[in-house]
Amino acid sequence: QVQLVDSGGGLVQPGGSLRLSCAASSNIFRIFTMGWYRQAPGKERELVASVTGIGSTNYADSVKGRFTISRDNAKNTVYLQMNSLQPEDTAVYYCSAKRANVYYWGKGTQVTVSS
């Protein structure tokens, strides 16, 4: 069992930045593929970015060039740096940990982009 605590959301103006963090309880953190998903009202949850244990990354087309996912295996933490935020980025963002097609989820953190 892995417990995830995601944080760092808030209200930001268009063009602004936020950094999300997710702390994992597992001491085998490095073997999990970590990801950030988001869900906007009335929409399905979608993958934003993911990073494997060895640092390979994957991004949704809508965030490429604006968002950066990273992980610190020594701190059991994954980050999502979000720059040039737009209103369409407004959603609840969820941290995930995946291993062998089993997913663990954080409770989510709200990101609102509005002037």
Side-chain angles (χ1 to χ4, degrees), residues 18-70:
L18 284 174
R19 189 176 84 152
L20 307 183
S21 300
C22 174
S25 63
S26 175
N27 58 10
I28 53 172
F29 173 79
R30 66 179 64 250
I31 73 172
F32 290 91
T33 292
M34 302 299 297
W36 287 97
Y37 288 71
R38 67 186 181 187
Q39 188 167 19
K43 294 187 177 181
E44 294 187 353
R45 191 173 296 190
E46 63 175 356
L47 175 67
V48 176
S50 63
V51 58
T52 68
I54 58 171
S56 297
T57 58
N58 180 50
Y59 294 93
D61 287 343
S62 59
V63 306
K64 283 180 180 177
R66 299 189 298 125
F67 291 9
T68 302
I69 190 170
S70 61

Side-chain angles (χ1 to χ4, degrees), residues 33-115:
T33 292
M34 302 299 297
W36 287 97
Y37 288 71
R38 67 186 181 187
Q39 188 167 19
K43 294 187 177 181
E44 294 187 353
R45 191 173 296 190
E46 63 175 356
L47 175 67
V48 176
S50 63
V51 58
T52 68
I54 58 171
S56 297
T57 58
N58 180 50
Y59 294 93
D61 287 343
S62 59
V63 306
K64 283 180 180 177
R66 299 189 298 125
F67 291 9
T68 302
I69 190 170
S70 61
R71 65 190 295 160
D72 185 337
N73 289 337
K75 296 182 178 180
N76 289 357
T77 301
V78 63
Y79 305 97
L80 185 68
Q81 178 66 44
M82 304 186 295
N83 298 328
S84 301
L85 283 161
Q86 300 302 317
E88 52 265 35
D89 296 315
T90 295
V92 178
Y93 284 69
Y94 297 91
C95 175
S96 73
K98 174 191 171 186
R99 180 173 177 247
N101 290 326
V102 176
Y103 286 82
Y104 301 91
W105 297 95
K107 292 184 178 181
T109 184
Q110 176 70 47
V111 172
T112 302
V113 185
S114 175
S115 56

